[in-house]
Amino acid sequence: MQEPINLGDLLKYEAPNLYSRDRVTVAAGQTLPLGTVLGQITATGKVKQIDPSATDGSQYSAGVLMQDADAALADRNDGLMVARHAIVSDHALHWPTGITTAEQQAAIQQLKALGVLVRIGA
């Protein structure tokens, strides 16, 4: 049996003094695991799993979720996201079902533009 991914599997480097982290509100209606690549809804500032086909802002990478978040019934305002100046491991990222390789690569480039580098096999 494989152990679940933990923060050490995901986060390989972050800046001191919590600079890399943002407190976020996870939008209701989803249960997301640690490592979920997040998009941010422009109108509300809330985050949800990235959706390349969306038009509400969540089609672009905003960061990576740092802990499991159960927002099935209500918004969770205690989410933590790696948002800048960090290195994450590719094998610990969680993507939406059906995302294409090209969409994943675009999302990884968006993370890189934020200063969140995705390392292969790290």
Side-chain angles (χ1 to χ4, degrees), residues 9-13 86-93 108 111-112 115-122:
D9 295 326
L10 171 70
L11 192 60
K12 298 304 177 183
Y13 171 82
I87 299 172
V88 295
S89 179
D90 69 320
H91 77 271
L93 295 179
I108 288 170
L111 287 171
K112 184 177 181 180
V116 178
L117 305 179
V118 176
R119 289 282 189 252
I120 308 300

Side-chain angles (χ1 to χ4, degrees), residues 88-107:
V88 295
S89 179
D90 69 320
H91 77 271
L93 295 179
H94 186 80
W95 298 98
T97 304
I99 191 169
T100 67
T101 301
E103 289 167 341
Q104 271 189 14
Q105 291 306 315

